[in-house]
Amino acid sequence: MHLPSAASLLLAALSLPLASAGKDHGPGHGKKQGLNTLAKKAGLKYFGSATDSPGQRERAGLEASYAKYDEIMWKSDEFGQTTPTNGQKWLFVEPAPGIFNYTEGEIVASKAKKHGKHLRCHALVWHSQLAPWVETTEWTKETLRAAIVRHITKVAGHWKGRCYAWDVVNEALNEDGTWRESVFYKVLGEEYITLAFKTAAKVDPHAKLYYNDYNLELPGAKVEGAKRIVKMLQKQRVKIDGMGLQAHLVAEWGSPADIDRHIEVMRGFGSLGVEVALTELDVRLQTPYNTTNLALQKRSYKNIVGACVQVKECIGVTIWDFYDPFSWVPYVFPGEGAPLLWFEDFTTHPAYDGVVEALTNKTRRTPSKPAKGPRSSRLLRD
């Protein structure tokens, strides 16, 4: 999703109301078995969290306060995977034509390797957080094709062999499932998607290649548009391995029946022969938060994670950072926030317990084709 820069984002987030120190919001990171351990026991590959580089926190003046953050992120068993929130995006890695800088993304990637975390890499072609020159250049088809190939070749090539998956194309669809009028689409049409996946497959053949987008968690026109992308690439025999459901949810919009609809969507993608992952999960609240919307948030987390556990093609969950002050939400949605699992004082949301319940529900993972008889999803409902 849209993230301006980590430094400005974190400064903006400091205005969020603080949770009461010492208040018991859940089991926290000291629990005997963390979320990643529970996820693997439930059949997932990982439970992870996106993170930004320490350098970005230091520039925001926050370097002194977050040893606790690093302890949870890197040294606990809460997370077995990470995604660099910003550092691999075009704005950071190719700030000028043909000039590449891997510093920010490399900090997170190196920490992931050091601490044995899976690395999901994000994102090669996206209309947002582009370097300004990409949008101001007068492109021809030939010059834009060359720029896309150069960018993917250099960036995916730099991290070759280190990324479990790449989000190759990000957010190419409007809400009605039609093509977003990005700079890439305006010049090349849907060809840019095929070109991006072809190039990524050539550069890093062992990485899983994903299409990634938001509002794909419930059935609708955008889901059908995402299926069209999968089918388009498959028809042309272009490698696509996964569908990334960003899962930026709103607690107040959820319903108890959402788990069945989440399962329907995940099965639908799985039936096309691709794996599924929740790639940027958060559930934002109207702030100041209260007991009522925290309970709704818990249900939303429980439903979406519980759906993933029950669909065999859903391989993992990534929350979009885990610590509320580092969230993008208050910057983009004034009056909303507290979307993650850890409050400002490092106590956990009730939603943490909802995730634990989903991961330990012990329901059987189900295939893409609906089974006969009652759905096991009913067991996960509040």
Side-chain angles (χ1 to χ4, degrees):
M1 285 297 291
H2 305 285
L3 290 166
S5 72
S8 59
L9 179 63
L10 299 183
L11 286 172
L14 289 178
S15 62
L16 281 172
L18 292 178
S20 302
K23 190 174 180 181
D24 183 9
H25 293 292
H29 77 282
K31 184 176 173 66
K32 183 177 290 185
Q33 292 186 324
L35 299 178
N36 187 59
T37 298
L38 296 175
K40 289 193 290 185
K41 287 185 175 182
L44 304 184
K45 186 178 182 68
Y46 58 78
F47 193 100
S49 172
T51 190
D52 253 333
S53 72
Q56 291 172 330
R57 272 184 270 148
E58 289 165 8
R59 288 195 296 276
L62 302 175
E63 71 277 10
S65 304
Y66 296 111
K68 188 79 163 179
Y69 177 94
D70 288 333
E71 178 188 347
I72 298 170
M73 181 69 229
W74 302 113
K75 298 177 183 178
S76 73
D77 65 344
E78 299 288 4
F79 309 117
Q81 173 273 332
T82 193
T83 302
T85 308
N86 284 296
Q88 294 175 319
K89 293 172 181 173
W90 204 309
L91 174 65
F92 292 92
V93 294
E94 195 180 358
I99 305 299
F100 291 88
N101 183 345
Y102 307 113
T103 302
E104 295 292 351
E106 190 59 37
I107 291 171
V108 175
S110 297
K111 280 183 167 287
K113 182 177 180 181
K114 177 181 177 181
H115 295 284
K117 313 290 186 185
H118 294 293
L119 182 68
R120 284 196 87 260
C121 295
H122 173 82
L124 290 171
V125 179
W126 185 29
H127 70 278
S128 186
Q129 287 188 270
L130 286 170
W133 64 269
V134 181
E135 296 188 278
T136 58
T137 298
E138 293 291 330
W139 297 105
T140 65
K141 290 181 183 292
E142 292 72 22
T143 57
L144 185 55
R145 286 189 195 108
I148 290 171
V149 169
R150 178 186 66 201
H151 181 81
I152 294 175
T153 299
K154 290 289 189 179
V155 176
H158 176 80
W159 280 288
K160 180 179 180 179
R162 298 167 65 185
C163 303
Y164 167 75
W166 266 107
D167 291 328
V168 179
V169 175
N170 200 47
E171 299 178 8
L173 297 171
N174 295 315
E175 291 306 294
D176 63 359
T178 59
W179 299 112
R180 182 189 294 274
E181 293 283 328
S182 67
V183 60
F184 305 108
Y185 184 79
K186 287 178 180 178
V187 177
L188 293 173
E190 62 190 42
E191 174 196 346
Y192 88 87
I193 297 175
T194 303
L195 178 63
F197 276 89
K198 279 184 177 178
T199 306
K202 182 178 180 180
V203 173
D204 194 355
H206 298 298
K208 300 280 190 178
L209 304 184
Y210 272 64
Y211 174 72
N212 192 56
D213 212 330
Y214 60 94
N215 289 348
L216 297 181
E217 299 76 35
L218 300 173
K222 197 170 190 179
V223 168
E224 296 308 309
K227 289 179 180 178
R228 185 179 70 244
I229 291 175
V230 175
K231 292 174 183 178
M232 176 184 76
L233 294 171
Q234 291 174 336
K235 184 176 181 179
Q236 298 179 56
R237 302 192 178 211
V238 176
K239 174 181 164 75
I240 178 170
D241 301 291
M243 182 60 61
L245 281 58
Q246 291 183 11
H248 294 296
L249 307 179
V250 182
E252 290 85 353
W253 295 355
S255 76
D258 279 351
I259 185 167
D260 291 323
R261 297 192 287 168
H262 297 327
I263 289 172
E264 178 184 343
V265 168
M266 293 176 190
R267 283 175 171 164
F269 287 126
S271 70
L272 298 179
V274 295
E275 66 184 35
V276 178
L278 303 176
T279 55
E280 305 182 18
L281 173 60
D282 50 30
V283 183
R284 65 185 188 266
L285 304 174
Q286 294 289 324
T287 54
Y289 49 78
N290 54 58
T291 301
T292 299
N293 64 8
L294 285 171
L296 294 174
Q297 182 185 60
K298 176 181 178 180
R299 184 178 68 192
S300 293
Y301 267 103
K302 182 178 176 181
N303 280 347
I304 192 75
V305 175
C308 181
V309 168
Q310 294 185 73
V311 178
K312 69 182 181 64
E313 290 87 358
C314 191
I315 59 94
V317 178
T318 308
I319 53 176
W320 207 232
D321 215 304
F322 68 89
Y323 183 49
D324 284 341
F326 288 179
S327 172
W328 64 286
V329 167
Y331 187 92
V332 177
F333 296 100
E336 298 181 89
L340 300 169
L341 297 182
W342 272 258
F343 287 111
E344 296 87 342
D345 63 357
F346 290 103
T347 58
T348 54
H349 287 229
Y352 182 103
D353 294 335
V355 173
V356 170
E357 290 168 20
L359 295 175
T360 57
N361 185 264
K362 303 188 190 311
T363 54
R364 297 179 62 184
R365 292 170 66 91
T366 54
S368 294
K369 186 176 180 180
K372 295 180 180 180
R375 281 181 167 177
S376 58
S377 62
R378 307 296 179 187
L379 299 177
L380 279 166
R381 289 188 172 177
D382 287 348

